[in-house]
Short mmCIF file of all heavy atoms in Angstrom, two decimals:
data_model
loop_
_atom_site.label_atom_id
_atom_site.label_comp_id
_atom_site.label_asym_id
_atom_site.label_seq_id
_atom_site.Cartn_x
_atom_site.Cartn_y
_atom_site.Cartn_z
N CYS W 1 15.80 10.01 0.07
CA CYS W 1 15.42 9.68 -1.30
C CYS W 1 16.30 10.43 -2.29
O CYS W 1 16.82 11.50 -1.97
CB CYS W 1 13.96 10.05 -1.55
SG CYS W 1 12.79 9.08 -0.58
N PRO W 2 16.41 9.91 -3.50
CA PRO W 2 17.09 10.66 -4.55
C PRO W 2 16.32 11.95 -4.86
O PRO W 2 15.18 12.12 -4.44
CB PRO W 2 17.03 9.70 -5.76
CG PRO W 2 16.71 8.37 -5.21
CD PRO W 2 15.95 8.60 -3.94
N VAL W 3 16.94 12.82 -5.62
CA VAL W 3 16.25 14.01 -6.10
C VAL W 3 15.44 13.58 -7.32
O VAL W 3 15.98 13.03 -8.27
CB VAL W 3 17.25 15.12 -6.48
CG1 VAL W 3 16.53 16.31 -7.09
CG2 VAL W 3 18.04 15.53 -5.25
N TRP W 4 14.13 13.79 -7.25
CA TRP W 4 13.24 13.33 -8.31
C TRP W 4 13.09 14.40 -9.37
O TRP W 4 12.88 15.56 -9.04
CB TRP W 4 11.87 12.97 -7.75
CG TRP W 4 11.92 12.01 -6.64
CD1 TRP W 4 11.59 12.25 -5.34
CD2 TRP W 4 12.35 10.64 -6.68
NE1 TRP W 4 11.77 11.12 -4.60
CE2 TRP W 4 12.25 10.12 -5.39
CE3 TRP W 4 12.82 9.81 -7.71
CZ2 TRP W 4 12.58 8.82 -5.08
CZ3 TRP W 4 13.15 8.50 -7.40
CH2 TRP W 4 13.03 8.02 -6.10
N PRO W 5 13.13 14.02 -10.64
CA PRO W 5 12.88 15.00 -11.69
C PRO W 5 11.45 15.54 -11.60
O PRO W 5 10.53 14.80 -11.30
CB PRO W 5 13.08 14.21 -12.99
CG PRO W 5 13.37 12.81 -12.61
CD PRO W 5 13.38 12.69 -11.12
N GLY W 6 11.31 16.84 -11.81
CA GLY W 6 9.98 17.43 -11.84
C GLY W 6 9.52 18.03 -10.53
O GLY W 6 8.41 18.55 -10.45
N GLN W 7 10.29 17.96 -9.45
CA GLN W 7 9.90 18.47 -8.14
C GLN W 7 8.48 18.04 -7.76
O GLN W 7 7.57 18.85 -7.63
CB GLN W 7 10.01 19.99 -8.11
CG GLN W 7 11.42 20.47 -8.36
CD GLN W 7 11.53 21.98 -8.37
OE1 GLN W 7 10.61 22.68 -8.79
NE2 GLN W 7 12.65 22.48 -7.93
N PRO W 8 8.30 16.74 -7.59
CA PRO W 8 6.95 16.22 -7.32
C PRO W 8 6.41 16.57 -5.95
O PRO W 8 7.16 16.84 -5.01
CB PRO W 8 7.16 14.71 -7.43
CG PRO W 8 8.59 14.51 -7.04
CD PRO W 8 9.31 15.70 -7.58
N MET W 9 5.10 16.54 -5.85
CA MET W 9 4.43 16.64 -4.57
C MET W 9 4.51 15.27 -3.91
O MET W 9 4.37 14.24 -4.58
CB MET W 9 2.97 17.04 -4.80
CG MET W 9 2.26 17.42 -3.53
SD MET W 9 0.77 18.38 -3.87
CE MET W 9 1.49 19.93 -4.40
N THR W 10 4.76 15.24 -2.60
CA THR W 10 4.95 13.97 -1.90
C THR W 10 3.95 13.81 -0.76
O THR W 10 3.43 14.79 -0.22
CB THR W 10 6.38 13.87 -1.32
OG1 THR W 10 6.57 14.92 -0.35
CG2 THR W 10 7.43 13.97 -2.41
N ALA W 11 3.72 12.55 -0.41
CA ALA W 11 2.88 12.21 0.75
C ALA W 11 3.24 10.81 1.20
O ALA W 11 3.76 10.00 0.41
CB ALA W 11 1.40 12.31 0.40
N HIS W 12 2.95 10.53 2.46
CA HIS W 12 3.18 9.19 3.01
C HIS W 12 1.83 8.51 3.22
O HIS W 12 0.97 9.04 3.92
CB HIS W 12 3.94 9.27 4.34
CG HIS W 12 4.13 7.95 4.98
ND1 HIS W 12 4.82 6.93 4.37
CD2 HIS W 12 3.68 7.45 6.16
CE1 HIS W 12 4.81 5.87 5.17
NE2 HIS W 12 4.12 6.17 6.25
N TRP W 13 1.67 7.36 2.56
CA TRP W 13 0.44 6.57 2.68
C TRP W 13 0.80 5.19 3.23
O TRP W 13 0.62 4.18 2.57
CB TRP W 13 -0.24 6.41 1.32
CG TRP W 13 -0.84 7.65 0.74
CD1 TRP W 13 -0.91 8.89 1.31
CD2 TRP W 13 -1.47 7.76 -0.53
NE1 TRP W 13 -1.55 9.76 0.46
CE2 TRP W 13 -1.90 9.09 -0.67
CE3 TRP W 13 -1.71 6.86 -1.55
CZ2 TRP W 13 -2.57 9.54 -1.81
CZ3 TRP W 13 -2.37 7.31 -2.69
CH2 TRP W 13 -2.80 8.65 -2.81
N GLY W 14 1.30 5.13 4.44
CA GLY W 14 1.77 3.88 5.03
C GLY W 14 0.70 2.79 5.10
O GLY W 14 -0.45 3.04 5.45
N VAL W 15 1.13 1.59 4.75
CA VAL W 15 0.28 0.39 4.79
C VAL W 15 1.14 -0.73 5.36
O VAL W 15 2.30 -0.89 4.94
CB VAL W 15 -0.19 0.01 3.36
CG1 VAL W 15 -0.95 -1.30 3.35
CG2 VAL W 15 -1.05 1.12 2.76
N PRO W 16 0.62 -1.53 6.30
CA PRO W 16 1.42 -2.66 6.82
C PRO W 16 1.87 -3.59 5.69
O PRO W 16 1.14 -3.83 4.73
CB PRO W 16 0.46 -3.37 7.77
CG PRO W 16 -0.52 -2.31 8.18
CD PRO W 16 -0.68 -1.43 6.96
N ASP W 17 3.08 -4.10 5.83
CA ASP W 17 3.68 -4.94 4.78
C ASP W 17 3.09 -6.35 4.81
O ASP W 17 3.36 -7.12 5.73
CB ASP W 17 5.19 -5.01 4.97
CG ASP W 17 5.89 -5.71 3.83
OD1 ASP W 17 5.21 -6.15 2.87
OD2 ASP W 17 7.13 -5.81 3.89
N PRO W 18 2.30 -6.70 3.80
CA PRO W 18 1.72 -8.05 3.79
C PRO W 18 2.76 -9.13 3.54
O PRO W 18 2.56 -10.28 3.92
CB PRO W 18 0.70 -7.99 2.65
CG PRO W 18 1.24 -6.95 1.72
CD PRO W 18 1.90 -5.93 2.62
N ALA W 19 3.89 -8.77 2.95
CA ALA W 19 4.93 -9.76 2.66
C ALA W 19 5.59 -10.27 3.92
O ALA W 19 6.26 -11.32 3.90
CB ALA W 19 5.98 -9.16 1.72
N THR W 20 5.40 -9.59 5.05
CA THR W 20 5.99 -10.04 6.32
C THR W 20 4.96 -10.72 7.22
O THR W 20 5.26 -11.01 8.38
CB THR W 20 6.63 -8.86 7.08
OG1 THR W 20 5.61 -7.91 7.40
CG2 THR W 20 7.73 -8.21 6.26
N ALA W 21 3.77 -10.94 6.70
CA ALA W 21 2.71 -11.55 7.50
C ALA W 21 3.09 -12.96 7.94
O ALA W 21 3.67 -13.73 7.16
CB ALA W 21 1.40 -11.59 6.71
N ASP W 22 2.77 -13.27 9.17
CA ASP W 22 3.00 -14.61 9.73
C ASP W 22 1.70 -15.39 9.70
O ASP W 22 0.64 -14.84 9.48
CB ASP W 22 3.50 -14.50 11.18
CG ASP W 22 4.89 -13.91 11.28
OD1 ASP W 22 5.72 -14.19 10.39
OD2 ASP W 22 5.14 -13.18 12.25
N GLY W 23 1.83 -16.66 9.97
CA GLY W 23 0.64 -17.50 10.08
C GLY W 23 0.44 -18.40 8.89
O GLY W 23 1.36 -18.66 8.10
N SER W 24 -0.79 -18.85 8.76
CA SER W 24 -1.14 -19.79 7.71
C SER W 24 -1.17 -19.09 6.35
O SER W 24 -1.11 -17.85 6.26
CB SER W 24 -2.53 -20.37 7.99
OG SER W 24 -3.51 -19.37 7.87
N ASP W 25 -1.29 -19.87 5.30
CA ASP W 25 -1.43 -19.30 3.95
C ASP W 25 -2.65 -18.40 3.88
O ASP W 25 -2.62 -17.36 3.23
CB ASP W 25 -1.52 -20.41 2.90
CG ASP W 25 -0.20 -21.13 2.68
OD1 ASP W 25 0.85 -20.62 3.15
OD2 ASP W 25 -0.21 -22.19 2.04
N ASP W 26 -3.73 -18.80 4.57
CA ASP W 26 -4.94 -17.99 4.58
C ASP W 26 -4.68 -16.65 5.28
O ASP W 26 -5.17 -15.62 4.83
CB ASP W 26 -6.08 -18.75 5.27
CG ASP W 26 -7.42 -18.09 5.05
OD1 ASP W 26 -7.72 -17.70 3.90
OD2 ASP W 26 -8.17 -17.92 6.04
N ASP W 27 -3.92 -16.66 6.38
CA ASP W 27 -3.57 -15.42 7.08
C ASP W 27 -2.77 -14.50 6.16
O ASP W 27 -2.98 -13.29 6.14
CB ASP W 27 -2.75 -15.71 8.34
CG ASP W 27 -3.55 -16.42 9.42
OD1 ASP W 27 -4.79 -16.27 9.45
OD2 ASP W 27 -2.92 -17.14 10.22
N LYS W 28 -1.86 -15.07 5.40
CA LYS W 28 -1.04 -14.27 4.48
C LYS W 28 -1.90 -13.68 3.36
O LYS W 28 -1.74 -12.50 3.01
CB LYS W 28 0.09 -15.12 3.91
CG LYS W 28 1.10 -15.50 4.99
CD LYS W 28 2.14 -16.45 4.47
CE LYS W 28 3.04 -16.88 5.63
NZ LYS W 28 4.04 -17.85 5.22
N ARG W 29 -2.82 -14.47 2.82
CA ARG W 29 -3.72 -13.95 1.79
C ARG W 29 -4.58 -12.80 2.35
O ARG W 29 -4.82 -11.80 1.67
CB ARG W 29 -4.61 -15.06 1.22
CG ARG W 29 -3.91 -15.91 0.18
CD ARG W 29 -4.88 -16.84 -0.55
NE ARG W 29 -5.41 -17.89 0.31
CZ ARG W 29 -4.78 -19.03 0.61
NH1 ARG W 29 -3.60 -19.26 0.09
NH2 ARG W 29 -5.33 -19.92 1.39
N LYS W 30 -5.02 -12.94 3.59
CA LYS W 30 -5.81 -11.87 4.23
C LYS W 30 -4.99 -10.60 4.38
O LYS W 30 -5.52 -9.49 4.22
CB LYS W 30 -6.34 -12.34 5.59
CG LYS W 30 -7.48 -13.32 5.49
CD LYS W 30 -7.94 -13.77 6.86
CE LYS W 30 -9.01 -14.83 6.73
NZ LYS W 30 -9.39 -15.41 8.03
N ALA W 31 -3.71 -10.73 4.68
CA ALA W 31 -2.83 -9.56 4.81
C ALA W 31 -2.70 -8.84 3.46
O ALA W 31 -2.73 -7.60 3.39
CB ALA W 31 -1.46 -9.97 5.34
N PHE W 32 -2.58 -9.60 2.39
CA PHE W 32 -2.50 -9.00 1.06
C PHE W 32 -3.82 -8.34 0.67
O PHE W 32 -3.83 -7.26 0.07
CB PHE W 32 -2.05 -10.02 0.01
CG PHE W 32 -0.56 -10.15 -0.05
CD1 PHE W 32 0.11 -11.01 0.80
CD2 PHE W 32 0.19 -9.37 -0.93
CE1 PHE W 32 1.49 -11.12 0.77
CE2 PHE W 32 1.57 -9.46 -0.97
CZ PHE W 32 2.23 -10.34 -0.11
N LEU W 33 -4.92 -8.96 1.02
CA LEU W 33 -6.22 -8.37 0.74
C LEU W 33 -6.40 -7.07 1.52
O LEU W 33 -6.92 -6.09 0.98
CB LEU W 33 -7.35 -9.35 1.06
CG LEU W 33 -8.77 -8.84 0.81
CD1 LEU W 33 -8.95 -8.42 -0.66
CD2 LEU W 33 -9.79 -9.89 1.20
N ALA W 34 -5.95 -7.04 2.77
CA ALA W 34 -6.06 -5.82 3.58
C ALA W 34 -5.23 -4.69 2.97
O ALA W 34 -5.69 -3.54 2.89
CB ALA W 34 -5.61 -6.09 5.02
N ALA W 35 -4.03 -5.00 2.51
CA ALA W 35 -3.18 -3.98 1.86
C ALA W 35 -3.84 -3.50 0.57
O ALA W 35 -3.90 -2.29 0.30
CB ALA W 35 -1.79 -4.54 1.59
N PHE W 36 -4.35 -4.43 -0.21
CA PHE W 36 -5.04 -4.09 -1.46
C PHE W 36 -6.23 -3.18 -1.17
O PHE W 36 -6.42 -2.16 -1.84
CB PHE W 36 -5.51 -5.36 -2.17
CG PHE W 36 -6.38 -5.08 -3.36
CD1 PHE W 36 -5.83 -4.90 -4.62
CD2 PHE W 36 -7.77 -5.00 -3.23
CE1 PHE W 36 -6.63 -4.62 -5.72
CE2 PHE W 36 -8.58 -4.73 -4.31
CZ PHE W 36 -8.00 -4.54 -5.57
N THR W 37 -7.02 -3.52 -0.19
CA THR W 37 -8.23 -2.75 0.14
C THR W 37 -7.88 -1.32 0.56
O THR W 37 -8.51 -0.37 0.10
CB THR W 37 -9.03 -3.47 1.24
OG1 THR W 37 -9.38 -4.78 0.76
CG2 THR W 37 -10.30 -2.71 1.61
N ALA W 38 -6.87 -1.18 1.43
CA ALA W 38 -6.45 0.16 1.88
C ALA W 38 -5.94 0.99 0.70
O ALA W 38 -6.32 2.16 0.53
CB ALA W 38 -5.38 0.04 2.96
N LEU W 39 -5.09 0.40 -0.12
CA LEU W 39 -4.55 1.13 -1.27
C LEU W 39 -5.62 1.43 -2.30
O LEU W 39 -5.64 2.52 -2.88
CB LEU W 39 -3.40 0.34 -1.89
CG LEU W 39 -2.13 0.29 -1.03
CD1 LEU W 39 -1.17 -0.78 -1.54
CD2 LEU W 39 -1.46 1.66 -0.97
N ASN W 40 -6.51 0.51 -2.52
CA ASN W 40 -7.59 0.72 -3.49
C ASN W 40 -8.46 1.91 -3.07
O ASN W 40 -8.80 2.76 -3.91
CB ASN W 40 -8.43 -0.55 -3.61
CG ASN W 40 -9.40 -0.51 -4.76
OD1 ASN W 40 -9.06 -0.09 -5.85
ND2 ASN W 40 -10.62 -0.94 -4.51
N ARG W 41 -8.77 2.00 -1.80
CA ARG W 41 -9.59 3.11 -1.30
C ARG W 41 -8.85 4.44 -1.51
O ARG W 41 -9.40 5.41 -2.03
CB ARG W 41 -9.91 2.91 0.19
CG ARG W 41 -10.72 4.02 0.82
CD ARG W 41 -11.04 3.78 2.30
NE ARG W 41 -9.84 3.59 3.11
CZ ARG W 41 -9.42 2.42 3.62
NH1 ARG W 41 -10.10 1.31 3.42
NH2 ARG W 41 -8.32 2.34 4.34
N ARG W 42 -7.59 4.48 -1.13
CA ARG W 42 -6.81 5.71 -1.24
C ARG W 42 -6.63 6.13 -2.70
O ARG W 42 -6.73 7.31 -3.04
CB ARG W 42 -5.45 5.54 -0.57
CG ARG W 42 -5.58 5.42 0.94
CD ARG W 42 -4.28 5.09 1.60
NE ARG W 42 -4.49 4.95 3.03
CZ ARG W 42 -3.56 4.57 3.87
NH1 ARG W 42 -2.34 4.29 3.43
NH2 ARG W 42 -3.82 4.46 5.16
N ILE W 43 -6.35 5.17 -3.54
CA ILE W 43 -6.08 5.49 -4.95
C ILE W 43 -7.36 5.89 -5.67
O ILE W 43 -7.33 6.78 -6.52
CB ILE W 43 -5.34 4.32 -5.62
CG1 ILE W 43 -3.91 4.31 -5.05
CG2 ILE W 43 -5.35 4.44 -7.13
CD1 ILE W 43 -3.13 3.07 -5.30
N SER W 44 -8.48 5.29 -5.33
CA SER W 44 -9.73 5.73 -5.96
C SER W 44 -10.05 7.16 -5.53
O SER W 44 -10.54 7.96 -6.34
CB SER W 44 -10.87 4.76 -5.67
OG SER W 44 -11.20 4.75 -4.31
N LEU W 45 -9.74 7.53 -4.28
CA LEU W 45 -9.93 8.91 -3.85
C LEU W 45 -8.97 9.85 -4.59
O LEU W 45 -9.37 10.91 -5.08
CB LEU W 45 -9.69 9.04 -2.33
CG LEU W 45 -10.74 8.44 -1.42
CD1 LEU W 45 -10.23 8.39 0.02
CD2 LEU W 45 -12.03 9.22 -1.50
N PHE W 46 -7.71 9.46 -4.67
CA PHE W 46 -6.70 10.27 -5.34
C PHE W 46 -7.04 10.51 -6.81
O PHE W 46 -7.01 11.64 -7.29
CB PHE W 46 -5.33 9.60 -5.20
CG PHE W 46 -4.26 10.18 -6.07
CD1 PHE W 46 -3.83 11.49 -5.89
CD2 PHE W 46 -3.67 9.43 -7.07
CE1 PHE W 46 -2.84 12.04 -6.70
CE2 PHE W 46 -2.68 9.97 -7.88
CZ PHE W 46 -2.26 11.28 -7.69
N THR W 47 -7.37 9.45 -7.51
CA THR W 47 -7.63 9.58 -8.95
C THR W 47 -8.93 10.32 -9.26
O THR W 47 -9.14 10.73 -10.40
CB THR W 47 -7.62 8.21 -9.67
OG1 THR W 47 -8.59 7.35 -9.05
CG2 THR W 47 -6.23 7.58 -9.61
#
């Protein structure tokens, strides 16, 4: 990564990439919902 201004604290919050989901349109929407749900939980804890 580049050197970030401010010397930030870092962490890895890996989430599967919904943009690479295979299958039907419904399967792809479910992948995006799963990513949203995981990130929503983490961010509500963080904030």
